[in-house]
Amino acid sequence: MSSEVTPFHFQGLDCFVKRDELIDPLLSGNKYRKLYTLLQTPPENFDTIISYGGTQSNAMLSIAALCQQKGWAFEYYCKPLSPQLKEQPSGNLQIALDLNMQRIETEDYTQTISQLQSQGKTLIIPQGGADPLAEQGIVILAEEIKQWQTEQGIKDLHVVTPSGTGTTAFYLAKHLPNTQILTTASVGDNAYLTQQMSQLGNVPSNLKLLEPMRKYHFAKPYPEFLETYQSLKQAGIEFDLLYAPLIWQTLLNHKQDIQGTVLYVHSGGLLGNDSMLQRYI
Ligand SMILES: *Cc1c(COP(=O)(O)O)cnc(C)c1O
């Protein structure tokens, strides 16, 4: 079943939002799409999934939900936790632990993860789900978008979605070759994002990286991000606090360069907002 598309008006921009955040609270947005292949995989094919990354990661939460559904063990490598977080896990970490995720703290994180290998019934999912495994689910997303575009009779379509690893934007661009895909780098700069994406193949020419007004550090609580988050919510849709504020701000700054219809693909991550909002208090 295709996720719905809603018209959205935000600070002078008339656009549409593809509501992938409504698919499932735990497996939401692009994480649902990226894990789609594994969601379709028979439980007996694997018994253990291993991944690694940040302690409040949305990918971590979604993989934990996937493993819970399938009855797979989930081992998650991360850097040592702060004493507070260890004593009282919150947000995505709390939910993932409740879903039976096994957290493995490692001092020599880089060294440890470089040695992880898929074998037998154990599968390694790279940080953020940046893996060719993600392609099949994004193909379906691309097909849903094409069908909507045809139904609406839209000629000039621009699809906007934020990037972490760039996996979602990369495969969207690959499978929507006649559409411009616009994204922003949330982690590192455009050069770093391009380098990340090129590990998946040649970066498609219809993929455009918008340049933010200034440099931001990932997952830092910037007051202007909270402001944008609140304005978006007032306009009618809740977005995530990590990726969405930056791309909406950047999109508004580039508004005059974009001719045609804008479709924002909601990337989910709403459960992560709790622990981010705490950091603004
Ligand atoms: C994971 C995530 C992204 C980044 O997706 P990539 O495919 O890694 O670029 C963007 N937005 C939200 C809310 C996410 O959770």
Side-chain angles (χ1 to χ4, degrees), residues 34-270:
K34 293 202 274 187
L35 295 173
Y36 182 82
T37 304
L38 289 173
L39 280 161
Q40 305 304 313
T41 300
E44 58 274 18
N45 286 18
F46 298 109
D47 56 28
T48 306
I49 305 290
I50 298 176
S51 191
Y52 48 88
T55 47
Q56 291 296 356
S57 150
N58 293 331
M60 170 195 78
L61 176 63
S62 297
I63 298 169
L66 163 79
C67 290
Q68 166 90 353
Q69 270 184 37
K70 297 286 179 183
W72 297 333
F74 178 30
E75 298 173 5
Y76 190 74
Y77 288 83
C78 57
K79 292 175 187 166
L81 297 185
S82 68
Q84 289 136 296
L85 204 52
K86 200 174 242 170
E87 196 155 301
Q88 201 169 49
S90 63
N92 286 354
L93 177 63
Q94 169 71 62
I95 307 169
L97 291 171
D98 288 347
L99 290 164
N100 286 329
M101 178 182 83
Q102 194 195 339
R103 170 176 52 88
I104 304 164
E105 288 176 46
T106 158
E107 296 282 349
D108 49 1
Y109 178 80
T110 315
Q111 164 82 3
T112 307
I113 61 167
S114 70
Q115 289 168 350
L116 298 174
Q117 260 179 17
S118 297
Q119 51 176 307
K121 291 199 168 192
T122 298
L123 177 73
I124 312 292
I125 303 180
Q127 178 161 13
D131 194 87
L133 195 72
E135 185 164 9
Q136 196 193 350
I138 314 265
V139 167
I140 296 172
L141 172 59
E143 277 162 7
E144 290 179 18
I145 293 171
K146 265 187 265 182
Q147 196 186 345
W148 172 80
Q149 183 184 4
T150 308
E151 280 164 15
Q152 301 285 315
I154 294 164
K155 282 210 177 67
D156 215 348
L157 182 65
H158 301 262
V159 171
V160 178
T161 205
S163 280
T165 63
T167 311
T168 307
F170 178 93
Y171 286 125
L172 267 181
K174 181 175 170 190
H175 295 285
L176 292 171
N178 301 317
T179 302
Q180 185 160 60
I181 311 297
L182 304 171
T183 193
T184 49
S186 306
V187 185
D189 59 10
N190 282 354
Y192 179 70
L193 178 59
T194 306
Q195 185 213 321
Q196 289 278 100
M197 291 192 300
S198 57
Q199 290 176 18
L200 300 169
N202 289 329
V203 181
S205 58
N206 56 321
L207 176 55
K208 192 174 163 198
L209 310 188
L210 299 174
E211 191 71 62
M213 292 286 276
R214 51 157 288 201
K215 221 176 129 109
Y216 291 96
H217 294 282
F218 185 61
K220 251 179 100 166
Y222 295 99
E224 63 262 44
F225 280 9
L226 182 62
E227 231 168 82
T228 304
Y229 162 83
Q230 285 165 339
S231 313
L232 286 162
K233 204 171 167 186
Q234 256 161 24
I237 300 180
E238 184 177 6
F239 291 87
D240 82 281
L241 262 159
L242 290 181
Y243 300 87
L246 175 68
I247 195 165
W248 277 106
Q249 283 175 10
T250 310
L251 183 63
L252 291 174
N253 283 329
H254 288 82
K255 198 170 60 176
Q256 64 287 352
D257 312 332
I258 303 169
Q259 257 87 48
T261 305
V262 171
L263 174 68
Y264 184 101
V265 178
H266 199 308
S267 50
L270 299 187

